[in-house]
Amino acid sequence: MHTTSVTLLARLRQTGDGDAWARFVRTYSPLLYGWARRMALAHDDAVDLVQDVFAVLVQQIPRFDYDGQQRFRGWLWTITRRRWADRKRKASLPIDPGRDPSELPAASADIGLEEAEFRAHLIRHVVPTLRGNFHETTWRSFWKHVVDGRPVTEVAAEEGVTVAAVYKAKLRVTAHLQKELADLMTDSPGDLL
């Protein structure tokens, strides 16, 4: 899918749902920052641009009309690019001298790299936030077998559970990840790990 979580968008529309906004910011900050850096902004300017984008999103998300045919990240890209252009017009931001400052980055630049970075971010920062939804042994069995790639028999012996329990942990956690993160991925959510 090419969208963000429909349920997360619905929660963002509710006023005062700080947890939803925290998850949204945690999920999308690295992506927005990466785009800002590719626009040749210095670190501090990139951070400022990300904050500007979130300020726009706070106003726009309640009015955002979700269309399953459109990419949510495409909409984010458009907002980011427009904020960058606005900032560039208002002030002289440090732009890489080797780059033509009138040139806006192409929307399709480095899509593969962007997807890989976003996927790595999800695994490092978002997936672990779901750990509290599972019994600790279930989570550790899943993580050791699926993420660390360790043999199921080794994980079962280490965790003191059956091989079937490790497979069950894998299925339970993977199903939950698909439910929570499927719409964050452009490919199959099973390809996340």
Side-chain angles (χ1 to χ4, degrees), residues 37 51 56 81 92 107 113 116 125 128 140-141 181:
R37 293 293 286 182
Q51 290 174 349
V56 170
R81 191 178 65 182
S92 179
L113 179 60
H125 300 287
R140 282 194 316 262
S141 296
L181 303 176

Side-chain angles (χ1 to χ4, degrees), residues 32-192:
L32 297 174
Y33 178 79
W35 287 343
R37 293 293 286 182
R38 285 190 187 97
M39 292 173 180
L41 296 178
H43 168 76
D44 291 341
D45 294 319
V47 169
D48 287 345
L49 179 62
V50 170
Q51 290 174 349
D52 284 353
V53 170
F54 279 117
V56 170
L57 291 173
V58 165
Q59 296 172 359
Q60 296 293 323
I61 290 278
R63 296 187 303 258
F64 177 71
D65 186 24
Y66 175 74
D67 176 359
Q69 302 300 318
Q70 301 293 320
R71 287 187 62 198
F72 180 76
R73 279 184 271 160
W75 183 65
L76 287 179
W77 168 252
T78 300
I79 291 171
T80 304
R81 191 178 65 182
R82 287 179 182 163
R83 289 303 304 150
W84 177 74
D86 289 347
R87 288 174 60 93
K88 195 172 75 159
R89 272 191 297 274
K90 291 178 183 176
S92 179
L93 295 176
I95 306 276
D96 181 351
R99 189 176 201 162
D100 181 359
S102 65
E103 221 177 81
L104 286 175
S108 62
D110 298 327
I111 293 290
L113 179 60
E114 173 187 310
E115 286 299 321
E117 289 171 353
F118 190 64
R119 191 177 303 250
H121 166 71
L122 288 175
I123 292 169
R124 277 191 321 270
H125 300 287
V126 178
V127 170
T129 66
L130 302 173
R131 184 178 191 158
N133 296 326
F134 301 96
H135 187 274
E136 191 60 30
T137 303
T138 300
W139 182 263
R140 282 194 316 262
S141 296
F142 158 77
W143 195 266
K144 290 176 182 179
H145 177 57
V146 176
V147 178
D148 294 341
R150 294 176 54 198
V152 68
T153 52
E154 181 181 306
V155 173
E158 191 173 302
E159 291 297 322
V161 298
T162 65
V163 167
V166 175
Y167 283 124
K168 186 176 178 180
K170 175 184 176 181
L171 289 173
R172 280 190 67 219
V173 176
T174 302
H176 188 75
L177 290 176
Q178 287 176 338
K179 179 182 170 194
E180 290 290 320
L181 303 176
D183 35 1
L184 291 174
M185 305 305 299
T186 58
D187 300 322
S188 164
D191 297 335
L192 174 65

Side-chain angles (χ1 to χ4, degrees), residues 7-45:
T7 55
L8 179 59
L9 284 174
R11 287 180 58 202
L12 292 174
R13 288 185 177 137
Q14 299 170 4
T15 55
D17 192 341
D19 290 338
W21 277 103
R23 178 178 174 196
F24 184 77
V25 168
R26 195 172 46 247
T27 301
Y28 285 98
S29 289
L31 180 68
L32 297 174
Y33 178 79
W35 287 343
R37 293 293 286 182
R38 285 190 187 97
M39 292 173 180
L41 296 178
H43 168 76
D44 291 341
D45 294 319

